[in-house]
Amino acid sequence: MRIFTFFIYSTILFFLSFIIVFPAMGFYQNDIKPLVNGYKKIEKSNLKHKGENISEDIFMYIHYFVTFDEEARQFYSIEEANLNKAYLSCIEDNKIFNISCMKTLQNKGQEFLIDDKCDWTFFGHSSVARNKNYYLVSMEEKMCGTFLARFNTYYVFEYKDDYLRVTNAFLTGKDIFNPIKYYKINDDSFSFVTEACAHGADTCWGSEADWIELKFEK
């Protein structure tokens, strides 16, 4: 009888420890460890041009243009032909974007996308960190259809005056990456930790954050 009672108590304690310890380990790995290692929690903001937020449509165009150039959109339903070629006059070397030029065309009524049914899937940008003229920026989007998960692509921009230059990027391709939660500025790079749980996930049990580093320049 004592052996049976001991077995019951041992089983209960095992399951209790499983329920308590594993979430605690996940919380440490995803939230405590970054802070212990000098990371800061992000404060989202928008990049501005002459005192005004840069239009999300401009960032959408930049994002689509860059990912097409890097052949990273094979899993996305938007087509390269849908990009309005009028804006190509505002781009140098496929990576330097003249924001004043793009704003002028936008004010003249030039659409960024042509005959596209999926432009609503772009959820905008978040400026996460800055070191001098370098900015760590995350862009979020969702594939067309009923797929709930959101894809985050991470960029490093050099931004000064009218020019936004893509110096490095972590492109998601077909993989889902989560929003940035913590960041740290190094001598020549941004280090960051993502959210552990994906948008639209049924459960976050056992999910781990991604730890990523992006150099200012490739």
Side-chain angles (χ1 to χ4, degrees):
M1 186 65 178
R2 290 181 178 179
I3 295 177
F4 179 75
T5 303
F6 175 77
F7 175 77
I8 294 297
Y9 281 123
S10 298
T11 303
I12 293 173
L13 286 174
F14 172 78
F15 280 106
L16 284 175
S17 63
F18 183 81
I19 293 171
I20 295 172
V21 172
F22 278 88
M25 291 174 60
F27 179 72
Y28 172 80
Q29 181 71 21
N30 299 330
D31 289 279
I32 302 300
K33 185 178 177 181
L35 298 176
V36 171
N37 284 273
Y39 286 74
K40 298 179 180 179
K41 194 164 186 177
I42 69 166
E43 294 182 6
K44 295 181 180 180
S45 62
N46 297 99
L47 286 183
K48 296 181 180 293
H49 180 261
K50 297 182 178 179
E52 298 179 348
N53 288 342
I54 299 176
S55 165
E56 295 295 2
D57 288 336
I58 289 178
F59 277 107
M60 177 185 65
Y61 191 95
I62 292 172
H63 174 57
Y64 288 165
F65 182 88
V66 170
T67 48
F68 277 126
D69 186 56
E70 296 284 344
E71 298 182 353
R73 299 198 68 82
Q74 58 180 312
F75 299 97
Y76 294 68
S77 50
I78 189 173
E79 296 180 3
E80 187 173 7
N82 290 329
L83 292 180
N84 186 346
K85 291 181 173 55
Y87 286 93
L88 297 181
S89 62
C90 303
I91 304 172
E92 301 175 19
D93 298 327
N94 286 353
K95 62 182 180 179
I96 302 174
F97 300 83
N98 186 324
I99 302 302
S100 283
C101 175
M102 298 181 79
K103 287 173 65 175
T104 298
L105 291 176
Q106 184 183 26
N107 291 335
K108 289 181 178 179
Q110 287 284 353
E111 299 290 339
F112 288 92
L113 302 180
I114 300 172
D115 298 328
D116 178 68
K117 297 179 181 179
C118 296
D119 57 341
W120 55 268
T121 60
F122 185 78
F123 290 94
H125 84 288
S126 296
S127 177
V128 173
R130 176 186 179 182
N131 187 344
K132 298 179 181 179
N133 291 323
Y134 290 102
Y135 293 80
L136 174 63
V137 173
S138 177
M139 297 195 196
E140 185 178 58
E141 62 185 324
K142 184 180 80 71
M143 294 177 68
C144 292
T146 58
F147 191 60
L148 293 178
R150 296 183 182 180
F151 295 71
N152 286 269
T153 298
Y154 318 118
Y155 289 92
V156 177
F157 291 129
E158 183 186 28
Y159 181 40
K160 54 185 177 180
D161 300 325
D162 286 331
Y163 296 93
L164 191 73
R165 181 171 70 96
V166 179
T167 65
N168 208 345
F170 193 95
L171 306 176
T172 58
K174 67 178 179 178
D175 296 317
I176 297 173
F177 288 97
N178 299 328
I180 298 172
K181 189 171 185 180
Y182 300 100
Y183 76 93
K184 181 168 68 173
I185 299 175
N186 309 308
D187 291 337
D188 63 348
S189 66
F190 294 109
S191 295
F192 53 95
V193 181
T194 69
E195 298 274 0
C197 194
H199 180 273
D202 294 330
T203 177
C204 296
W205 178 265
S207 299
E208 292 188 4
D210 293 300
W211 293 63
I212 299 171
E213 181 183 14
L214 269 181
K215 298 286 187 180
F216 296 155
E217 303 272 354
K218 278 187 178 181

